[in-house]
Amino acid sequence: MRIQYLGHSVLMVETLGTRLILDPFIKGNPQCPISVDELPKVNYVLVSHGHSDHIGDTIEIAKRDDAVVISNFEICNYLESKGVKTRPMYIGGKVPFEFGNVKLTPAFHGSSISDDSGTIYAGMPVGFLLESNGKKLYHAGDTGLTVEMQLLKDESIDVAFLPIGGNFVMDVADAIRATSFIMPKKVVPIHYNTWDIIKADANKFSDGVVKSMNVECLILKPGEWIEV
Ligand code: NI
Ligand code: MN
C-alpha cells in the first residue's frame, strides 16, 4: 500500500491497482501541493464527514473519474442527488471491495454540508479502517479523544493518521493518548497548521509517542509518499 499525504486530512492511497482519495480537500487547501487537474484518476473517494475541509472537491472528482464515494448514509444521499455514485455505509459496518475491506469507525465531531440551499444534516462523522494487501490503515477523520479508540488496539494497525491540531479535534496531548489506545506500528499527525486556529507542534507529538510508547512517528510534508 502506497500512501501520499496531500496536506490537512487528505490522503491518496494506491493498492492492488486501485487508487483511493480520502477527504479530498484540494481547492482552497493551503497545504495541498496539487490541483484537482493534477490529481490522477481515482476509483474511490472516502469522505469522513460533511465539513467543507473534508468533503472538499468530492463531487467534481467523483464525476470526472466515475469514482464511487464511500461515506455515511446521509452524505451518500446528498451526493446521489448531485449525480454521484456512492456506497453508503455506517459505523461498525465492514464492506469488502476489490482492493480490500473498509470499516467505518466512530468519530466524535459534527457533520453538516453547507451549500447554496443552506446547511444540510450530514449524519454522524466517521473514521476509516482500510485493510488491503495484508496491511491496515486507520484515518481517524475529525474527532476528539474517545475511549472507542481502545477497540482499535486489537486491529494491529500498521499506520494511523490522527488529527493533532486541537480546537476542533484532538490536541497533541490527546493525540498522544489516542496513540497509546491504538498502538499502531506507525503514526502520522494530520489536520494541523493548515490555519492558525489549528496550529500544533508535530515534533512535540512525535517526541511524546516515541518516548512514552516507542511508536514510530512520521511527520510527512504535503506531497510526501510512504509505503506500508
Ligand atoms: Ni470537521
Ligand atoms: Mn476538519
Side-chain angles (χ1 to χ4, degrees):
M1 195 189 299
R2 291 179 77 228
I3 305 152
Q4 186 183 28
Y5 180 51
L6 290 171
H8 199 57
S9 289
V10 189
L11 301 183
M12 189 159 74
V13 176
E14 292 180 352
T15 181
L16 301 176
T18 300
R19 188 177 292 119
L20 305 92
I21 190 159
L22 283 69
D23 283 352
F25 170 46
I26 294 175
K27 260 185 239 131
N29 176 354
Q31 294 184 338
C32 187
I34 62 165
S35 65
V36 174
D37 285 346
E38 288 165 331
L39 178 75
K41 182 179 160 58
V42 299
N43 306 101
Y44 292 91
V45 184
L46 279 61
V47 180
S48 68
H49 64 292
H51 294 160
S52 57
D53 58 319
H54 297 264
I55 199 166
D57 304 292
T58 294
I59 294 174
E60 184 180 339
I61 295 164
K63 282 189 172 172
R64 181 193 76 179
D65 295 347
D66 200 28
V68 174
V69 176
I70 301 170
S71 191
N72 73 22
F73 179 76
E74 290 84 358
I75 290 173
C76 287
N77 267 352
Y78 170 80
L79 293 172
E80 289 273 347
S81 78
K82 304 287 179 195
V84 171
K85 280 188 207 160
T86 70
R87 172 63 198 239
M89 291 177 59
Y90 241 116
I91 294 164
K94 179 159 113 176
V95 172
F97 294 88
E98 73 274 20
F99 58 83
N101 295 322
V102 175
K103 186 173 185 178
L104 300 195
T105 60
F108 280 17
H109 192 65
S111 180
S112 58
I113 297 166
S114 300
D115 76 0
D116 303 338
S117 62
T119 299
I120 299 155
Y121 174 66
M124 285 178 72
V126 303
F128 296 103
L129 190 59
L130 172 64
E131 197 179 348
S132 178
N133 206 15
K135 300 289 180 184
K136 276 188 193 172
L137 176 159
Y138 171 58
H139 182 288
D142 274 3
T143 184
L145 180 68
T146 80
V147 293
E148 280 72 13
M149 289 170 177
Q150 293 176 356
L151 298 172
L152 294 169
K153 192 177 273 184
D154 295 338
E155 298 282 352
S156 302
I157 289 167
D158 292 282
V159 59
F161 292 83
L162 303 182
I164 68 161
N167 196 86
F168 302 109
V169 293
M170 295 187 284
D171 60 13
V172 165
D174 277 354
I176 291 169
R177 293 174 72 198
T179 307
S180 76
F181 289 172
I182 302 162
M183 289 304 288
K185 290 190 185 76
K186 296 182 170 84
V187 66
V188 181
I190 60 172
H191 207 278
Y192 69 102
N193 290 355
T194 319
W195 305 284
D196 284 347
I197 197 168
I198 53 169
K199 235 180 174 11
D201 185 348
N203 289 310
K204 205 171 141 193
F205 173 69
S206 176
D207 289 349
V209 297
V210 171
K211 278 185 199 132
S212 56
M213 62 207 84
N214 202 26
V215 168
E216 185 184 354
C217 178
L218 304 172
I219 299 172
L220 300 182
K221 288 186 198 75
E224 203 171 327
W225 288 89
I226 58 167
E227 187 152 4
V228 294

